[in-house]
Amino acid sequence: MLISSAFAQTAPAAAAAGGDMMSTITGMLPLVLMFLVLYFVMIRPQMKRQKEHRAMIDALGKGDEVVAGGGIMGRVARITDQYVYVEIANGVEVQMQRQAVAQVLPKGSLK
């Protein structure tokens, strides 16, 4: 035939001895590179945004002007552990979760 039986029997043993390790590393390299790119492009910026949002929520105080996730704008009237009471008009207060606050506006934005 085309290949002798002696050569055919030694080929798998030679590959398992050391040549296979390099091909395994080479095969995994694109997967590792894709994970690194995914981490730096998507995961890390999202974690940074979450950290900034958590710091903003913790720094909320009475009198701050805020925008809720749904677009409601108002002034913080009072704060509890889990809720923020936002005054959206004279005498009208809305209760919302602290995490619903999307942005703190500069003082004097609401007139």
Side-chain angles (χ1 to χ4, degrees):
M1 297 263 199
L2 298 175
I3 225 172
S4 70
S5 61
F7 181 72
Q9 290 176 355
T10 60
D20 194 20
M21 181 68 167
M22 190 62 175
S23 66
T24 303
I25 292 174
T26 306
M28 289 181 58
L29 187 63
L31 184 64
V32 170
L33 289 175
M34 286 180 4
F35 179 76
L36 287 174
V37 168
L38 181 72
Y39 176 78
F40 283 108
V41 171
M42 292 179 65
I43 297 172
R44 190 167 177 242
Q46 179 65 26
M47 289 173 42
K48 184 178 177 184
R49 268 186 251 120
Q50 285 177 346
K51 187 176 180 181
E52 290 171 355
H53 187 260
R54 194 175 315 118
M56 178 193 66
I57 296 298
D58 291 339
L60 275 179
K62 183 178 178 181
D64 286 344
E65 297 173 356
V66 297
V67 177
I72 297 174
M73 297 173 64
R75 188 170 284 112
V76 175
R78 56 192 165 111
I79 300 175
T80 62
D81 288 341
Q82 296 180 359
Y83 298 102
V84 174
Y85 296 86
V86 178
E87 184 178 4
I88 57 174
N90 290 334
V92 180
E93 271 187 19
V94 177
Q95 175 185 2
M96 65 180 71
Q97 291 182 339
R98 290 178 80 133
Q99 289 79 17
V101 175
Q103 183 179 7
V104 176
L105 299 172
K107 297 281 185 183
S109 297
L110 300 175
K111 302 250 177 179

